[in-house]
Each structure stands twice: as structure tokens, then as C-alpha cells.
Amino acid sequence: LQRLTNFSGNGTSVQEFTLEGFPVVQHVGKVLFMVHLLAYLASLTGNVVIVTITCADSRLQTPMYFFLSIFSIGECCFTSSVIPKLLVIFLLGRQTISFPACFIQAFVFIFLGAAGFLLMAVMSVDLYVAICKPLHYPTIMNLRTSLLLVAACIALGLTLITVLVVKVSQLSFCGPHVIPHFFCDLGPLIHLSCSDTRSVEMLVFVLTSCILLASLIITIIAYSNIVVTIVCLPSAKERRKAFSTCSSHLIVLSLMYGSCVFIYVKPKQTNRLESNRGAALVNHSGDPAQVHQALRETMCRIKISR
């Protein structure tokens, strides 16, 4: 926070930014407020229900549902870092955000996103072990291993994203102060800087590419092996059920990976800022669908256990 509030230390004269939001549809702001409020409340409620059920039901206290609970907590924080401010913009038109608050929002959003993608890779491996190596699952995915994997996701995400955000905060911001986005993201912030941003843009590209592509490759390998195992199942009913579950997972994963790769995996972070805004909204729109799918599977698991 000391770095962020030390405006004179990095040559920054801008003390607050203005989030542009969606100026084309600002005239229907109250309608958009209701739509996003309902989606936000549905996402929060679903995630809280998942965590509550998992903690309360001893039959669900397995590594798979432990990872799901951590992911749900992360999703609550992830959406809460962006959506409340967007709701204020839609309802009241208050688009300003202070310099420190902007970088805090950017840090929280990107850190939770990075940790979430790493956790999704872990969850894919967990599902692979459960389906493809069921006899070894209790030995491989024990409580100690699960805790270490979650801690590794958080530590790695925290370290890499702290480096990114600190580097961007050290740039000079001389004006203009209007961010062409509905929240503080690194690309639009770099776009507003009056410093030489080439080294920072390359750092953002390298680190975000490593996180996203490493997570994506692990997920693809895990699901490829899962599909091979499912194809070998003797029962057609079992194959249909397994493919139905995996296909819904893959649709949500494709939405999230696709939008984030489109936004971040590019050497020049100031390119495609307008389209990035739409892709980011798509990414947030996928949260309620993901929560609904996870909640449905949790309830199905409870019914089966009975």
C-alpha cells in the first residue's frame, strides 16, 4: 500500500481513475444492474451452499469436494472483487476509483484468477486419478497431499501476481485517467501509462502465458486420459453418464480458458482493449453456470450416498 500511495515516488500525477464501463448501453443501466445483481447473488448463494453442504456432510469430505469448496470460496472472492463496483456504475453512475483501490482490485482479481486456474488443473488431475487409478486414489490423494496442492496454488499465484502488479504500479501515470474497462485490469492500466511499457508488457505476457497454458495443458492431458478410460467402459449407460458430466465440465472450462487466453496471452497488452471488455464479461457470465453444475453434482452425490 505504501508503494501505491507514493504518487510522487513513481512520477504519477493521477490520483484516481475513471472506469468507462459500457457507455454504449449506459442508458439501460438499471436493467443491467438487475441482471448482474441476480447473477451475482445466484453465484454467491450457490457457492455458499456448496461449501456449507461439503462441510456439513461427512460423506462429501473427500479430496474432490475439498478442492471444490476451496474453489467455491475463491469464486466468491473473485466475483466480489469486480461485480459490486460494476453494480454501482450501472445504478448510480459512480465510475471513479482511487489509485490505491484500483491496484488493489487488480491484484485481488488477477491473483484469485491465477490461483483458480492452477486449482482447476489440480482438480482435473484429481478427477483423472479417481477415474483412471481408482485403487490408488486413497493413497495418492490423501489429506496431506490435498493441502499441499492447494497451498502450492495459492503461493505460486501470490508470488507471480505480486511481481506483476508491483511492476505495473511503478509505471508513471500522467493522464488521461479514463480506463476503457469496467474494472481495473493490467492491460488498460498499462495503456494509460506514459512510461516505456515494453518490458512490463513482456513480463505480463510471459507470466500469464505460463499460468494459463500450463494449467490448460495439464487439464487437456487429464481429460484426454479420462475420455480414453470412459470409452473403455463396458456399459453404454455408464459411458453416457460419464460423457454427460465431462462435456458440461469442458464447456465451462472452454469458456473460461478461451476468454482469458484471448485477453492475456498476447505480447502487446494494449491491443484489443474493446474486445477484451466483452471477453471479460463472458468470463464472469460463466460463473453462475459453473456454480450450477457443481451444485447439481454435489446434490446428486448426496442422493447416491443415501
Side-chain angles (χ1 to χ4, degrees), residues 29 32-38 40-41 82-94:
L32 293 173
F33 168 81
M34 288 304 302
V35 171
H36 285 82
L37 177 62
L38 291 174
Y40 176 56
L41 292 177
V82 172
I83 299 301
K85 181 60 180 178
L86 179 62
L87 294 176
V88 170
I89 292 173
F90 283 143
L91 184 63
L92 304 175
R94 293 179 183 170

Side-chain angles (χ1 to χ4, degrees), residues 133-144:
K133 310 283 184 182
L135 297 178
H136 298 92
Y137 183 79
T139 306
I140 297 173
M141 301 304 297
N142 53 47
L143 178 60
R144 182 173 179 274

Side-chain angles (χ1 to χ4, degrees), residues 127-134 222-235 238-239 242-243:
L127 188 61
Y128 158 75
V129 177
I131 293 176
C132 303
K133 310 283 184 182
Y223 271 93
S224 298
N225 283 278
I226 289 169
V227 169
V228 171
T229 302
I230 291 172
V231 170
C232 297
L233 290 174
S235 169
E238 288 180 348
R239 286 198 299 270
F243 272 124

Side-chain angles (χ1 to χ4, degrees), residues 86-299:
L86 179 62
L87 294 176
V88 170
I89 292 173
F90 283 143
L91 184 63
L92 304 175
R94 293 179 183 170
Q95 297 170 272
T96 58
I97 184 170
S98 69
F99 189 93
C102 187
F103 276 93
I104 290 170
Q105 184 189 55
F107 170 76
V108 172
F109 170 81
I110 299 169
F111 158 62
L112 291 172
F117 277 110
L118 294 172
L119 187 58
M120 279 194 288
V122 169
M123 293 169 71
S124 299
V125 173
D126 175 74
L127 188 61
Y128 158 75
V129 177
I131 293 176
C132 303
K133 310 283 184 182
L135 297 178
H136 298 92
Y137 183 79
T139 306
I140 297 173
M141 301 304 297
N142 53 47
L143 178 60
R144 182 173 179 274
T145 303
S146 302
L147 290 172
L148 286 174
L149 287 170
V150 170
C153 292
I154 294 172
L156 185 58
L158 185 65
T159 303
L160 295 179
I161 301 310
T162 299
V163 171
L164 280 185
V165 175
V166 168
K167 282 292 184 183
V168 177
S169 72
Q170 290 172 338
L171 296 173
S172 296
F173 297 89
C174 316
H177 64 279
V178 178
I179 298 175
H181 213 315
F182 60 91
F183 69 95
C184 294
D185 202 2
L186 292 185
L189 284 169
I190 292 172
H191 174 69
L192 294 182
S193 175
C194 49
S195 305
D196 184 355
T197 61
R198 285 174 294 182
S199 61
V200 175
E201 285 186 291
M202 186 53 62
L203 180 65
V204 172
F205 169 67
V206 170
L207 293 185
T208 54
S209 297
C210 288
I211 293 170
L212 286 170
L213 296 182
S215 173
L216 178 60
I217 290 168
I218 292 170
T219 302
I220 289 172
I221 292 172
Y223 271 93
S224 298
N225 283 278
I226 289 169
V227 169
V228 171
T229 302
I230 291 172
V231 170
C232 297
L233 290 174
S235 169
K237 184 179 179 180
E238 288 180 348
R239 286 198 299 270
R240 282 196 301 271
K241 184 179 178 181
F243 272 124
S244 174
T245 302
C246 285
S247 62
S248 59
H249 286 177
L250 290 173
I251 289 170
V252 175
L253 289 173
S254 299
L255 190 68
M256 295 181 68
Y257 277 111
S259 58
C260 286
V261 168
F262 178 83
I263 294 170
Y264 296 107
V265 183
K266 55 185 179 182
K268 190 73 173 172
Q269 291 298 311
T270 54
N271 289 342
R272 302 196 307 253
L273 290 179
E274 283 296 325
S275 51
N276 284 0
R277 195 171 353 189
L281 193 61
V282 167
N283 191 21
H284 282 85
S285 300
D287 292 340
Q290 186 169 354
V291 172
H292 177 266
Q293 175 64 27
L295 187 58
R296 187 178 68 177
E297 290 177 12
T298 304
M299 299 308 294

